[in-house]
Amino acid sequence: AGFCSAVCVEVPSETEAVQGTHMKLLCISCMKREEVTASTVVEWFYRPEGGKDEPIYEYRKTNHEFPSRFSGRLQWNGSKDMQDVSITVLNVTLNDSGVYTCNITREFEFEIHRPVFTSSRLIHLTVVEEAGEDFTSVISEIMMYILLVFLTLWLLIEMVYCYRKVSKAEEAAQENATDYLAIPSENKENCAVPVEE
């Protein structure tokens, strides 16, 4: 992205759309001398794969949509200062895949002369039937499953450790009880505390 002024940033448009949704074709052209009044003309063209450019939309003080496959499906999304001259394609179809060109012509109104500046943006749009999974979400799912497996194994290890500890304690208690029972009864009597009269 290139910074042209304090309020204008040129950013690339999205290049993939899902069939049946609305797709904004982003075209931003920052004015290099925004303090100077300029008249702006915007022309949008569409070129199917292996075809030729055909005009589909124009802004020349007023909006004008050319008869095309997009008739009734184009919407102006430009800003008042004419730095954002984007359009939106409504109800995108698979046949809308192709190359979109945004041509901007500006005539600056100086006192002595009226210089003209032109710029152009190309958008290669691909329309898909369904939205593909985002790479970040796929990585997140994988990490979640790895964490679940790790926690399950850790829980099993803890359960086995605790079970063995309890078993050893029970065995030790059983051995003590067996040792006590193995002492002869006379020795057990000697163990009694004498009572004073």
Side-chain angles (χ1 to χ4, degrees):
F3 290 86
C4 299
S5 72
V7 293
C8 183
V9 181
E10 294 184 11
V11 292
S13 176
E14 294 289 329
T15 58
E16 186 175 281
V18 180
Q19 181 181 12
T21 62
H22 301 338
M23 178 64 185
K24 184 175 181 178
L25 301 173
L26 195 62
C27 182
I28 296 176
S29 179
C30 302
M31 294 178 67
K32 295 182 170 41
R33 294 286 303 272
E34 65 181 357
E35 73 279 3
V36 177
T37 306
S39 59
T40 304
V41 175
V42 181
E43 298 170 306
W44 278 92
F45 295 87
Y46 167 73
R47 184 175 74 242
E49 188 175 345
K52 295 180 179 180
D53 281 338
E54 54 185 74
I56 58 173
Y57 203 89
E58 181 181 77
Y59 182 91
R60 193 183 298 262
K61 293 186 179 178
T62 59
N63 301 333
H64 175 66
E65 184 178 338
F66 292 96
S68 67
R69 70 177 72 197
F70 301 98
S71 293
R73 295 194 297 124
L74 297 178
Q75 189 176 73
W76 177 254
N77 277 138
S79 59
K80 288 182 179 180
D81 61 6
M82 296 303 292
Q83 300 200 78
D84 182 353
V85 291
S86 307
I87 60 172
T88 296
V89 182
L90 307 175
N91 194 22
V92 175
T93 68
L94 293 174
N95 292 330
D96 294 340
S97 293
V99 179
Y100 294 80
T101 306
C102 169
N103 290 334
I104 305 108
T105 305
R106 283 204 176 93
E107 184 178 355
F108 289 91
E109 300 172 5
F110 291 98
E111 290 181 8
I112 303 171
H113 65 296
R114 301 169 76 93
V116 176
F117 296 93
T118 60
S119 61
S120 187
R121 303 281 183 276
L122 289 179
I123 301 168
H124 296 265
L125 183 67
T126 303
V127 181
V128 295
E129 292 184 9
E130 295 180 357
E133 282 195 81
D134 185 24
F135 181 72
T136 306
S137 64
V138 171
I139 293 296
S140 299
E141 282 185 35
I142 292 171
M143 293 301 292
M144 182 185 70
Y145 287 124
I146 290 173
L147 185 62
L148 281 173
V149 170
F150 173 76
L151 289 174
T152 304
L153 289 173
W154 179 77
L155 186 62
L156 285 171
I157 291 169
E158 283 292 313
M159 288 174 64
V160 169
Y161 173 75
C162 291
Y163 175 77
R164 286 184 176 177
K165 199 170 185 180
V166 169
S167 295
K168 284 183 180 179
E170 286 181 356
E171 285 176 10
Q174 189 110 21
E175 284 179 14
N176 288 342
T178 305
D179 290 345
Y180 178 76
L181 292 174
I183 298 174
S185 56
E186 58 272 7
N187 290 346
K188 289 179 185 175
E189 290 173 4
N190 294 338
C191 292
V193 179
V195 178
E196 292 183 5
E197 293 183 3

